[in-house]
Amino acid sequence: MPSLYFKYGVMGSSKSAQALICKFNYEQKGYKVLLVKPSIDTRDYDNGKAVVKSRIGIMSECLTIKYNQSMMELYKEASKTQKYDVLIIDEAQFCSEKQIDECKEISLEIPVLCYGLKTNFKSYLFEGSKRLIEIADSITEIESICSCGAKATINAKLVNGKIVRDGKEIDIGGDEKYIVMCYNCWKKMQKENNKY
Ligand SMILES: [Zn+2]
């Protein structure tokens, strides 16, 4: 029985690399993989083509899906020219609740593997991640380390070196920086910030 998988991690935890390695592994065995990511911005385009790209230097062409688009229709449309054995979604946190529900439907036919962040910089679940945690058959964490050595669980957003906890969930092209840290260090740094 195919399943819906959610593999989550903080930023920089090699989620995209893992998604691409997973795709490679399936393809090595002769399976056809449909690779999809939500279209949020234009950062991940290569010569005009949408790609899933990892910081470690590997990438693969993919289809993009808009927030209001149907995942089921995209899957059915793509399947007209090519039968797919697996659906892999990168940046799945940006999917809508409805799209994840559709992934669940698709997972009754073929395995659906979703890679993404669990929480935003405010430490709350993203819409897609929330739905995945609710309905995925398998949930696994791709672990990362805070600079103190503890497990990193927070995607901290820094503006001018200070942690911010408000603003839009998706903020593209600003001066902000993200670092991953453990909850303790995140709290400590906010306290430090407030001293000045
Ligand atoms: Zn720490």
mmCIF file with all atom_site columns, all heavy atoms in Angstrom, residues 25-39:
data_model
loop_
_atom_site.group_PDB
_atom_site.id
_atom_site.type_symbol
_atom_site.label_atom_id
_atom_site.label_alt_id
_atom_site.label_comp_id
_atom_site.label_asym_id
_atom_site.label_entity_id
_atom_site.label_seq_id
_atom_site.pdbx_PDB_ins_code
_atom_site.Cartn_x
_atom_site.Cartn_y
_atom_site.Cartn_z
_atom_site.occupancy
_atom_site.B_iso_or_equiv
_atom_site.pdbx_formal_charge
_atom_site.auth_seq_id
_atom_site.auth_comp_id
_atom_site.auth_asym_id
_atom_site.auth_atom_id
_atom_site.pdbx_PDB_model_num
ATOM 1   N N   . ASN A 1 25 ? 17.504 7.594  -6.394  1.00 0.00 ? 25 ASN A N   1
ATOM 2   C CA  . ASN A 1 25 ? 17.416 6.186  -6.000  1.00 0.00 ? 25 ASN A CA  1
ATOM 3   C C   . ASN A 1 25 ? 16.261 5.466  -6.698  1.00 0.00 ? 25 ASN A C   1
ATOM 4   O O   . ASN A 1 25 ? 16.418 4.334  -7.157  1.00 0.00 ? 25 ASN A O   1
ATOM 5   C CB  . ASN A 1 25 ? 17.245 6.058  -4.478  1.00 0.00 ? 25 ASN A CB  1
ATOM 6   C CG  . ASN A 1 25 ? 18.551 6.310  -3.753  1.00 0.00 ? 25 ASN A CG  1
ATOM 7   O OD1 . ASN A 1 25 ? 19.628 6.182  -4.327  1.00 0.00 ? 25 ASN A OD1 1
ATOM 8   N ND2 . ASN A 1 25 ? 18.465 6.705  -2.491  1.00 0.00 ? 25 ASN A ND2 1
ATOM 9   N N   . TYR A 1 26 ? 15.123 6.113  -6.751  1.00 0.00 ? 26 TYR A N   1
ATOM 10  C CA  . TYR A 1 26 ? 13.974 5.520  -7.452  1.00 0.00 ? 26 TYR A CA  1
ATOM 11  C C   . TYR A 1 26 ? 14.300 5.324  -8.929  1.00 0.00 ? 26 TYR A C   1
ATOM 12  O O   . TYR A 1 26 ? 14.003 4.282  -9.508  1.00 0.00 ? 26 TYR A O   1
ATOM 13  C CB  . TYR A 1 26 ? 12.734 6.404  -7.310  1.00 0.00 ? 26 TYR A CB  1
ATOM 14  C CG  . TYR A 1 26 ? 11.889 6.090  -6.091  1.00 0.00 ? 26 TYR A CG  1
ATOM 15  C CD1 . TYR A 1 26 ? 11.813 6.970  -5.023  1.00 0.00 ? 26 TYR A CD1 1
ATOM 16  C CD2 . TYR A 1 26 ? 11.150 4.913  -6.023  1.00 0.00 ? 26 TYR A CD2 1
ATOM 17  C CE1 . TYR A 1 26 ? 11.032 6.696  -3.906  1.00 0.00 ? 26 TYR A CE1 1
ATOM 18  C CE2 . TYR A 1 26 ? 10.359 4.625  -4.910  1.00 0.00 ? 26 TYR A CE2 1
ATOM 19  C CZ  . TYR A 1 26 ? 10.308 5.516  -3.857  1.00 0.00 ? 26 TYR A CZ  1
ATOM 20  O OH  . TYR A 1 26 ? 9.539  5.234  -2.756  1.00 0.00 ? 26 TYR A OH  1
ATOM 21  N N   . GLU A 1 27 ? 14.901 6.361  -9.536  1.00 0.00 ? 27 GLU A N   1
ATOM 22  C CA  . GLU A 1 27 ? 15.177 6.307  -10.972 1.00 0.00 ? 27 GLU A CA  1
ATOM 23  C C   . GLU A 1 27 ? 16.209 5.234  -11.318 1.00 0.00 ? 27 GLU A C   1
ATOM 24  O O   . GLU A 1 27 ? 16.133 4.610  -12.370 1.00 0.00 ? 27 GLU A O   1
ATOM 25  C CB  . GLU A 1 27 ? 15.611 7.696  -11.466 1.00 0.00 ? 27 GLU A CB  1
ATOM 26  C CG  . GLU A 1 27 ? 14.422 8.646  -11.527 1.00 0.00 ? 27 GLU A CG  1
ATOM 27  C CD  . GLU A 1 27 ? 14.794 10.087 -11.810 1.00 0.00 ? 27 GLU A CD  1
ATOM 28  O OE1 . GLU A 1 27 ? 15.985 10.432 -11.722 1.00 0.00 ? 27 GLU A OE1 1
ATOM 29  O OE2 . GLU A 1 27 ? 13.879 10.874 -12.110 1.00 0.00 ? 27 GLU A OE2 1
ATOM 30  N N   . GLN A 1 28 ? 17.138 5.030  -10.397 1.00 0.00 ? 28 GLN A N   1
ATOM 31  C CA  . GLN A 1 28 ? 18.130 3.966  -10.580 1.00 0.00 ? 28 GLN A CA  1
ATOM 32  C C   . GLN A 1 28 ? 17.460 2.607  -10.735 1.00 0.00 ? 28 GLN A C   1
ATOM 33  O O   . GLN A 1 28 ? 17.980 1.720  -11.380 1.00 0.00 ? 28 GLN A O   1
ATOM 34  C CB  . GLN A 1 28 ? 19.065 3.899  -9.362  1.00 0.00 ? 28 GLN A CB  1
ATOM 35  C CG  . GLN A 1 28 ? 20.070 5.000  -9.263  1.00 0.00 ? 28 GLN A CG  1
ATOM 36  C CD  . GLN A 1 28 ? 21.191 4.831  -10.264 1.00 0.00 ? 28 GLN A CD  1
ATOM 37  O OE1 . GLN A 1 28 ? 21.091 5.315  -11.390 1.00 0.00 ? 28 GLN A OE1 1
ATOM 38  N NE2 . GLN A 1 28 ? 22.250 4.143  -9.885  1.00 0.00 ? 28 GLN A NE2 1
ATOM 39  N N   . LYS A 1 29 ? 16.309 2.479  -10.071 1.00 0.00 ? 29 LYS A N   1
ATOM 40  C CA  . LYS A 1 29 ? 15.592 1.207  -10.111 1.00 0.00 ? 29 LYS A CA  1
ATOM 41  C C   . LYS A 1 29 ? 14.542 1.182  -11.207 1.00 0.00 ? 29 LYS A C   1
ATOM 42  O O   . LYS A 1 29 ? 13.708 0.278  -11.258 1.00 0.00 ? 29 LYS A O   1
ATOM 43  C CB  . LYS A 1 29 ? 14.966 0.930  -8.744  1.00 0.00 ? 29 LYS A CB  1
ATOM 44  C CG  . LYS A 1 29 ? 16.002 0.523  -7.709  1.00 0.00 ? 29 LYS A CG  1
ATOM 45  C CD  . LYS A 1 29 ? 15.481 0.670  -6.297  1.00 0.00 ? 29 LYS A CD  1
ATOM 46  C CE  . LYS A 1 29 ? 16.645 0.727  -5.316  1.00 0.00 ? 29 LYS A CE  1
ATOM 47  N NZ  . LYS A 1 29 ? 16.380 1.658  -4.204  1.00 0.00 ? 29 LYS A NZ  1
ATOM 48  N N   . GLY A 1 30 ? 14.573 2.205  -12.059 1.00 0.00 ? 30 GLY A N   1
ATOM 49  C CA  . GLY A 1 30 ? 13.673 2.238  -13.209 1.00 0.00 ? 30 GLY A CA  1
ATOM 50  C C   . GLY A 1 30 ? 12.311 2.860  -12.959 1.00 0.00 ? 30 GLY A C   1
ATOM 51  O O   . GLY A 1 30 ? 11.431 2.807  -13.813 1.00 0.00 ? 30 GLY A O   1
ATOM 52  N N   . TYR A 1 31 ? 12.119 3.459  -11.787 1.00 0.00 ? 31 TYR A N   1
ATOM 53  C CA  . TYR A 1 31 ? 10.835 4.107  -11.488 1.00 0.00 ? 31 TYR A CA  1
ATOM 54  C C   . TYR A 1 31 ? 10.803 5.517  -12.062 1.00 0.00 ? 31 TYR A C   1
ATOM 55  O O   . TYR A 1 31 ? 11.835 6.184  -12.163 1.00 0.00 ? 31 TYR A O   1
ATOM 56  C CB  . TYR A 1 31 ? 10.610 4.176  -9.972  1.00 0.00 ? 31 TYR A CB  1
ATOM 57  C CG  . TYR A 1 31 ? 10.383 2.838  -9.321  1.00 0.00 ? 31 TYR A CG  1
ATOM 58  C CD1 . TYR A 1 31 ? 11.392 2.223  -8.575  1.00 0.00 ? 31 TYR A CD1 1
ATOM 59  C CD2 . TYR A 1 31 ? 9.151  2.199  -9.442  1.00 0.00 ? 31 TYR A CD2 1
ATOM 60  C CE1 . TYR A 1 31 ? 11.183 0.994  -7.968  1.00 0.00 ? 31 TYR A CE1 1
ATOM 61  C CE2 . TYR A 1 31 ? 8.934  0.976  -8.830  1.00 0.00 ? 31 TYR A CE2 1
ATOM 62  C CZ  . TYR A 1 31 ? 9.948  0.377  -8.104  1.00 0.00 ? 31 TYR A CZ  1
ATOM 63  O OH  . TYR A 1 31 ? 9.730  -0.837 -7.500  1.00 0.00 ? 31 TYR A OH  1
ATOM 64  N N   . LYS A 1 32 ? 9.604  5.953  -12.418 1.00 0.00 ? 32 LYS A N   1
ATOM 65  C CA  . LYS A 1 32 ? 9.424  7.314  -12.913 1.00 0.00 ? 32 LYS A CA  1
ATOM 66  C C   . LYS A 1 32 ? 8.953  8.210  -11.764 1.00 0.00 ? 32 LYS A C   1
ATOM 67  O O   . LYS A 1 32 ? 7.979  7.888  -11.073 1.00 0.00 ? 32 LYS A O   1
ATOM 68  C CB  . LYS A 1 32 ? 8.382  7.351  -14.041 1.00 0.00 ? 32 LYS A CB  1
ATOM 69  C CG  . LYS A 1 32 ? 8.805  6.580  -15.280 1.00 0.00 ? 32 LYS A CG  1
ATOM 70  C CD  . LYS A 1 32 ? 9.948  7.302  -16.002 1.00 0.00 ? 32 LYS A CD  1
ATOM 71  C CE  . LYS A 1 32 ? 10.433 6.492  -17.190 1.00 0.00 ? 32 LYS A CE  1
ATOM 72  N NZ  . LYS A 1 32 ? 11.811 6.851  -17.570 1.00 0.00 ? 32 LYS A NZ  1
ATOM 73  N N   . VAL A 1 33 ? 9.669  9.313  -11.589 1.00 0.00 ? 33 VAL A N   1
ATOM 74  C CA  . VAL A 1 33 ? 9.401  10.201 -10.461 1.00 0.00 ? 33 VAL A CA  1
ATOM 75  C C   . VAL A 1 33 ? 8.879  11.551 -10.947 1.00 0.00 ? 33 VAL A C   1
ATOM 76  O O   . VAL A 1 33 ? 9.484  12.173 -11.821 1.00 0.00 ? 33 VAL A O   1
ATOM 77  C CB  . VAL A 1 33 ? 10.681 10.428 -9.627  1.00 0.00 ? 33 VAL A CB  1
ATOM 78  C CG1 . VAL A 1 33 ? 10.413 11.401 -8.480  1.00 0.00 ? 33 VAL A CG1 1
ATOM 79  C CG2 . VAL A 1 33 ? 11.214 9.107  -9.086  1.00 0.00 ? 33 VAL A CG2 1
ATOM 80  N N   . LEU A 1 34 ? 7.764  11.967 -10.385 1.00 0.00 ? 34 LEU A N   1
ATOM 81  C CA  . LEU A 1 34 ? 7.243  13.307 -10.659 1.00 0.00 ? 34 LEU A CA  1
ATOM 82  C C   . LEU A 1 34 ? 7.696  14.212 -9.511  1.00 0.00 ? 34 LEU A C   1
ATOM 83  O O   . LEU A 1 34 ? 7.378  13.959 -8.351  1.00 0.00 ? 34 LEU A O   1
ATOM 84  C CB  . LEU A 1 34 ? 5.707  13.265 -10.741 1.00 0.00 ? 34 LEU A CB  1
ATOM 85  C CG  . LEU A 1 34 ? 4.993  14.592 -11.018 1.00 0.00 ? 34 LEU A CG  1
ATOM 86  C CD1 . LEU A 1 34 ? 5.444  15.202 -12.342 1.00 0.00 ? 34 LEU A CD1 1
ATOM 87  C CD2 . LEU A 1 34 ? 3.476  14.383 -11.030 1.00 0.00 ? 34 LEU A CD2 1
ATOM 88  N N   . LEU A 1 35 ? 8.488  15.233 -9.866  1.00 0.00 ? 35 LEU A N   1
ATOM 89  C CA  . LEU A 1 35 ? 9.039  16.147 -8.857  1.00 0.00 ? 35 LEU A CA  1
ATOM 90  C C   . LEU A 1 35 ? 8.310  17.488 -8.955  1.00 0.00 ? 35 LEU A C   1
ATOM 91  O O   . LEU A 1 35 ? 8.248  18.094 -10.030 1.00 0.00 ? 35 LEU A O   1
ATOM 92  C CB  . LEU A 1 35 ? 10.543 16.326 -9.104  1.00 0.00 ? 35 LEU A CB  1
ATOM 93  C CG  . LEU A 1 35 ? 11.339 17.188 -8.130  1.00 0.00 ? 35 LEU A CG  1
ATOM 94  C CD1 . LEU A 1 35 ? 11.304 16.624 -6.713  1.00 0.00 ? 35 LEU A CD1 1
ATOM 95  C CD2 . LEU A 1 35 ? 12.792 17.316 -8.596  1.00 0.00 ? 35 LEU A CD2 1
ATOM 96  N N   . VAL A 1 36 ? 7.769  17.932 -7.830  1.00 0.00 ? 36 VAL A N   1
ATOM 97  C CA  . VAL A 1 36 ? 6.939  19.150 -7.817  1.00 0.00 ? 36 VAL A CA  1
ATOM 98  C C   . VAL A 1 36 ? 7.362  20.035 -6.655  1.00 0.00 ? 36 VAL A C   1
ATOM 99  O O   . VAL A 1 36 ? 7.763  19.542 -5.601  1.00 0.00 ? 36 VAL A O   1
ATOM 100 C CB  . VAL A 1 36 ? 5.437  18.781 -7.643  1.00 0.00 ? 36 VAL A CB  1
ATOM 101 C CG1 . VAL A 1 36 ? 4.578  20.029 -7.514  1.00 0.00 ? 36 VAL A CG1 1
ATOM 102 C CG2 . VAL A 1 36 ? 4.953  17.923 -8.816  1.00 0.00 ? 36 VAL A CG2 1
ATOM 103 N N   . LYS A 1 37 ? 7.275  21.351 -6.865  1.00 0.00 ? 37 LYS A N   1
ATOM 104 C CA  . LYS A 1 37 ? 7.428  22.248 -5.714  1.00 0.00 ? 37 LYS A CA  1
ATOM 105 C C   . LYS A 1 37 ? 6.495  23.437 -5.868  1.00 0.00 ? 37 LYS A C   1
ATOM 106 O O   . LYS A 1 37 ? 6.175  23.838 -6.993  1.00 0.00 ? 37 LYS A O   1
ATOM 107 C CB  . LYS A 1 37 ? 8.880  22.705 -5.560  1.00 0.00 ? 37 LYS A CB  1
ATOM 108 C CG  . LYS A 1 37 ? 9.330  23.675 -6.602  1.00 0.00 ? 37 LYS A CG  1
ATOM 109 C CD  . LYS A 1 37 ? 10.653 24.305 -6.219  1.00 0.00 ? 37 LYS A CD  1
ATOM 110 C CE  . LYS A 1 37 ? 10.984 25.404 -7.216  1.00 0.00 ? 37 LYS A CE  1
ATOM 111 N NZ  . LYS A 1 37 ? 12.260 26.007 -6.990  1.00 0.00 ? 37 LYS A NZ  1
ATOM 112 N N   . PRO A 1 38 ? 6.026  23.968 -4.749  1.00 0.00 ? 38 PRO A N   1
ATOM 113 C CA  . PRO A 1 38 ? 5.157  25.142 -4.820  1.00 0.00 ? 38 PRO A CA  1
ATOM 114 C C   . PRO A 1 38 ? 5.918  26.318 -5.426  1.00 0.00 ? 38 PRO A C   1
ATOM 115 O O   . PRO A 1 38 ? 7.105  26.488 -5.153  1.00 0.00 ? 38 PRO A O   1
ATOM 116 C CB  . PRO A 1 38 ? 4.813  25.425 -3.357  1.00 0.00 ? 38 PRO A CB  1
ATOM 117 C CG  . PRO A 1 38 ? 5.089  24.156 -2.633  1.00 0.00 ? 38 PRO A CG  1
ATOM 118 C CD  . PRO A 1 38 ? 6.229  23.524 -3.363  1.00 0.00 ? 38 PRO A CD  1
ATOM 119 N N   . SER A 1 39 ? 5.243  27.098 -6.260  1.00 0.00 ? 39 SER A N   1
ATOM 120 C CA  . SER A 1 39 ? 5.931  28.263 -6.837  1.00 0.00 ? 39 SER A CA  1
ATOM 121 C C   . SER A 1 39 ? 5.725  29.451 -5.915  1.00 0.00 ? 39 SER A C   1
ATOM 122 O O   . SER A 1 39 ? 4.634  29.964 -5.756  1.00 0.00 ? 39 SER A O   1
ATOM 123 C CB  . SER A 1 39 ? 5.421  28.565 -8.243  1.00 0.00 ? 39 SER A CB  1
ATOM 124 O OG  . SER A 1 39 ? 4.108  29.034 -8.194  1.00 0.00 ? 39 SER A OG  1
#
